[in-house]
Every structure is written in C-alpha cells, then in structure tokens.
C-alpha cells in the first residue's frame, strides 16, 4: 500500500494533515530514514474522517502526483482554436508590492496570483502574508551573515519595537536572530501567568522569541509548541531554539485556522501580533478553543482598531502583511471570542499608534494610500486580549442553559 501513499502524501504537507492522515502515518518511518521528521504522534494510525477531507486534500496538493499534474497542465491538453485571442492583460498574473526583504534590495513582491487559478481572497491573503514573512526571515539571516556589507538592521526600530517591554531576565541567553526577527506588538507574558510543567502553544511563533521565553518559564517538565505557516520563519526558529539549548520546544508548520494538535492538548495559548493576519478569525479562535484543555487560557497581544477597517484597506495585501489590513475592533474581537466559547474575556487597548510610529514602522505609505488622516482616525492600537475556556463543570452547566448565539461572520 505504500506505493499509493508515496504518490498521494508528501512530507511538505500541512502538519494538521499529517497528524490526521493514515497515509502520512504510514510514511512517517520512511521519511524519517530520509532525514525528514514529521509531527506524526501516537502509536495508533488515525482513522479516516470526512471532517478531515479538506486537510487531506491540502496534503495531496503538495504531493508528487499533484506536482506532476501541474507540470503537465491538463488545461492545455485541449487545443486552443487558431482564431482564439491570446490571454488578455486582465487575465495575466498580478503582483502586489510590500515592504520587506534585506534592507539593500528594495521592495519584495507578494506572490504572483494567476487569474487562471481560482484562489479565494483568503488564499491570496495567506499566500501574501506567508511570503512577506518568509522574506523577513531571509533578511534576518542575510544581515547576520553580513549581507550587503553587514550591519543591516532588519528588525523594528526601538521606538516601535515591543522587545523593550520584556524583562531582562526573559531576554537573557536569547539568540540575537530571535530578537531581531521579532515583529510583535506587545508582551503576552504579562497576562499569561505561565507555570512550570504547563504545555504552551505559541500561535505565529515567527523567529522563536516568545516560544523560547515560554520554554524557559515552563521548564523541562513543560513543553512549548510554536506554530507558523512560514517555512523560513520555522527554519529560523528551530535554529534559534537549538542555539538556546532547549529540548522542550517544537515548531510545527500550519495555520491558525487548522491547528495541527489534538483536542484539549495545551494549557495556555499565547500569540504576539498574529491573529490580525488570519483571514477567518472566528475559525482560528474556535481552533484555539478546541486545543485548549478545560480551564485553559488565552493570552494574546494584537493590534485592534477603534473603528472598523474600511474595505479598501482590507483589500490591500501590504496592509494585511503590516498587521492593519485584517485588524478587528475591540467589539469584533469580543464577539468572535464569545462565539468560539471563551469566557472571562478581557480586552484592553494600550498604546495607540501615531503617524510617527507608522513612519518608523515602515507603514506610512499604506496609510497614505488610504488617506493618512482617515487611517489614523481608525485608532490602531497595541491591544492585550485575555480569555479562558470554561472548565468541564462550567461547560456542562452552560449546555443546560439556553443562550443566544453570537455570530462570528
């Protein structure tokens, strides 16, 4: 049967697929002999479930057979009539510029979106955000390697960086690349209250700064999972955790809308300026609720706005990559958390960003496209979000009491 799984499965598929796919389970040992470690867990092969069909499809899309079909391009098998017009400019691939990359190479390009492929808006956002942060991770490594003469600064300026909000004790023995790669907007540890022995999930772990801090706080008897959809960031994070000499942290590839961990498997979820990057925040928070153990808690630093972000900014990929295109208002955040099932929701707007902050952070051109005064009036601010998953008894009690559902659209 392995011949079939070799054609269908791929070690590069999503971690969420691999922990649920019988084929990935069957191939795990063979991939490990090839030097590829996958996140397959447990001693019993998972059973197929139609609820996981989307994840299995995502896995097949990265497999050898799928790549072969792309190369063969079945759409071209049907001969185009001699009098058919060539593809118009409107159907040509388009690209959107965004800031990023090594400081001496100019603007990077967000992914080319081929109009012949039916990508949803969410797919486009994910692809754009992923490439933007891939480029940032590459620039961190290039600067560390002395790219363009060395000394390049690729992190956020001190005036807008959140790193200075961390305790000196947390930053001790943190690899420089982890600090430089940090693009967070706050310090989730101020409200996470981590204890030794806890299992922590860092959503959008980036270069590994927060995961490394968390791993030290929970100690060797605890464990930390870092989740990111950028391969370059994952590679950087793994290198940084190895430099830090940690053995209680693992980094998984995947996105927040399909977290590759079992139900009720973590005690605490942290995140730093990442929820705003997710297209379907209701689904992402529902996934966070699913993987938390009863009584588990959520501690997030994120960017939220005072007023809803207008459509023209939500359609700007550069604005998404800059953490403002997909920002929620405090009210929207509260609705989605409650809709996912969280209780004891606390949301506190902290520092509101100014035009000077936008300039220092490199997002001034984005705001200017939307009209600087109007964009600043939206009130983007570093925001602290804390919530809790009800305990077993609380959940049973809530099931017995009818309540009005909250929409997460």
């Amino acid at each position: 049967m392995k011949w079939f799984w070799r054609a269908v499965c791929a070690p590069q598929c999503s971690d969420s697929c691999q922990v649920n796919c019988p084929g990935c389970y069957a191939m795990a040992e063979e991939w490990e002999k090839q030097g590829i470690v996958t996140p397959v867990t447990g001693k019993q092969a998972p059973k197929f479930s139609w609820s996981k069909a989307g994840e299995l499809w995502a896995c097949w899309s990265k497999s050898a057979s799928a790549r072969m079909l792309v190369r063969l391009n079945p759409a071209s098998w049907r001969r185009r009539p001699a009098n058919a017009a060539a593809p118009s400019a409107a159907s040509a691939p388009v690209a959107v510029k965004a800031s990023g990359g090594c400081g001496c190479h100019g603007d990077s390009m967000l992914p080319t979106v081929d109009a012949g492929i039916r990508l949803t808006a969410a797919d486009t956002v994910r692809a754009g955000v992923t490439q933007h942060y891939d480029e940032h991770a590459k620039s961190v490594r290039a600067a560390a390697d002395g790219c363009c003469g060395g000394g390049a600064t690729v992190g956020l300026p001190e005036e807008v960086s959140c790193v200075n909000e961390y305790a000196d004790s947390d930053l001790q023995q943190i690899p420089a690349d982890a600090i430089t790669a940090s693009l967070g907007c706050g310090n989730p540890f101020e409200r996470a209250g981590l204890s030794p022995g806890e299992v922590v999930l860092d959503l959008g772990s980036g270069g590994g700064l927060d995961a490394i801090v968390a791993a030290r706080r929970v100690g060797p008897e605890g464990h930390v999972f870092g989740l990111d959809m950028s391969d370059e960031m994952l590679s950087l994070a793994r290198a940084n955790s190895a430099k830090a000499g940690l053995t209680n942290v693992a980094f998984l590839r995947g996105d927040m809308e399909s977290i590759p961990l079992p139900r009720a498997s973590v005690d605490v979820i942290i995140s730093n300026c990442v929820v705003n990057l997710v297209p379907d925040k209701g689904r992402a928070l529902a996934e966070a609720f699913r993987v938390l153990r009863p009584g588990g808690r959520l501690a997030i630093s994120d960017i939220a706005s005072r007023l809803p972000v207008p459509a023209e900014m939500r359609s700007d990929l550069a604005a998404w990559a800059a953490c403002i295109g997909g920002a929620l208002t405090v009210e929207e955040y509260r609705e989605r958390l409650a809709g996912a099932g969280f209780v004891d929701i606390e949301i506190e707007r902290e520092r509101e960003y100014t035009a000077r902050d936008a300039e220092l952070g490199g997002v001034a051109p984005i705001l200017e496209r939307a009209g600087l005064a109007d964009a600043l009036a939206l009130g983007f601010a570093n925001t602290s979000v804390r919530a809790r998953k009800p305990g077993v008894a609380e959940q049973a009690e809530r099931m017995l009491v009818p309540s009005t559902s909250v929409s997460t659209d």
Side-chain angles (χ1 to χ4, degrees):
M1 190 63 182
K2 277 194 174 181
W3 64 268
F4 176 75
W5 295 126
R6 286 190 189 99
V8 172
C9 296
Q12 296 81 17
C13 76
S14 73
D15 291 346
S16 181
C17 171
Q18 290 190 4
V19 297
N20 292 293
C21 173
C24 288
Y25 184 92
M27 291 298 298
E29 185 177 353
E30 182 172 314
W31 289 336
E32 189 171 354
K33 290 179 180 178
Q34 298 170 11
I36 304 170
V37 179
T38 63
V40 170
T41 58
K43 297 182 179 180
Q44 186 174 357
K47 296 180 180 179
F48 176 78
S49 170
W50 282 111
S51 65
K52 301 297 181 182
E55 295 164 9
L56 303 186
W57 174 262
C59 176
W60 178 83
S61 69
K62 296 179 176 63
S63 68
S65 53
R67 293 196 301 271
M68 178 62 73
L69 284 175
V70 169
R71 286 194 292 269
L72 293 175
N73 190 11
S76 67
W77 297 349
R78 287 178 290 184
R79 182 177 298 175
R80 190 177 67 186
N83 59 351
S88 66
S91 64
V94 296
V96 181
K97 285 190 176 181
S99 60
C102 181
C104 51
H105 292 309
D107 286 345
S108 64
M109 299 294 289
L110 286 176
T112 297
V113 180
D114 188 339
I117 301 175
R118 292 187 177 275
L119 291 177
T120 65
D123 291 330
T124 305
V125 168
R126 289 188 199 94
V129 168
T130 300
Q131 184 162 336
H132 177 81
Y133 287 92
D134 274 342
E135 292 299 323
H136 180 70
K138 289 177 183 177
S139 70
V140 170
R141 291 194 165 187
D145 293 340
C147 167
C148 314
T153 301
V154 295
L156 289 172
E158 185 177 351
E159 295 89 339
V160 293
S161 173
C162 72
V163 173
N164 54 17
E165 298 181 20
Y166 288 70
D168 290 340
S169 57
D170 282 333
L171 295 178
Q172 289 174 358
Q173 299 178 340
I174 298 289
D177 285 356
I179 296 175
T180 305
S182 175
L183 295 173
C185 57
N187 181 358
F189 298 101
E190 290 184 353
R191 291 171 176 79
L194 301 185
S195 300
E198 289 189 310
V199 177
V200 179
L201 171 61
D202 179 14
L203 296 175
S205 48
L209 171 61
D210 290 328
I212 293 172
V213 171
R216 290 221 168 92
R217 289 203 178 188
V218 300
E221 65 272 30
H223 193 80
V224 176
F225 292 101
L227 177 70
D228 208 287
M229 59 184 182
S230 162
D231 288 326
E232 294 293 337
M233 279 293 189
L234 287 169
S235 176
L236 183 62
R238 287 167 181 146
N240 284 328
S241 67
K243 289 178 185 176
L246 296 171
T247 59
N248 64 335
V249 59
F251 294 94
L252 306 176
R253 185 180 186 278
D255 63 71
M256 292 171 58
E257 294 157 308
S258 184
I259 298 174
L261 288 174
R263 183 182 303 276
S265 57
V266 301
D267 298 301
V268 188
I269 290 178
I270 61 173
S271 184
N272 200 343
C273 209
V274 178
V275 174
N276 64 78
L277 298 172
V278 182
D280 190 340
K281 295 171 180 59
R283 179 176 172 183
L285 293 173
E287 274 289 275
F289 187 89
R290 178 184 67 82
V291 301
L292 273 176
R293 291 170 180 157
R297 57 201 187 277
L298 181 83
I300 290 176
S301 290
D302 204 9
I303 290 179
S305 60
R306 185 187 304 108
L307 301 174
V309 177
E312 59 269 22
M313 191 174 289
R314 288 198 179 278
S315 64
D316 188 335
L317 281 180
W320 273 87
C323 300
I324 56 178
L328 296 174
T329 65
V330 170
E331 291 75 16
E332 290 170 336
Y333 230 125
R334 191 179 301 277
E335 288 177 358
R336 282 159 176 74
L337 284 165
F342 286 99
V343 297
D344 296 343
I345 300 169
E346 300 174 7
I347 304 177
E348 181 182 353
R349 283 169 55 86
E350 295 174 344
R351 175 184 175 183
E352 185 165 319
Y353 296 109
T354 65
R356 176 60 176 161
D357 293 329
E359 182 181 350
L360 290 169
V363 300
I366 299 170
L367 300 185
E368 288 168 359
R369 285 200 295 272
L372 184 59
D374 292 338
L376 290 174
L378 297 173
F380 294 106
N382 170 33
T383 303
S384 175
V385 179
R386 195 172 188 275
R388 182 176 63 85
K389 180 174 181 175
V392 175
E394 291 176 280
Q395 292 186 53
E397 183 178 347
R398 292 177 70 192
M399 290 177 66
L400 295 175
V401 179
S403 61
T404 303
S405 62
V406 180
S407 172
T408 60
D409 291 339

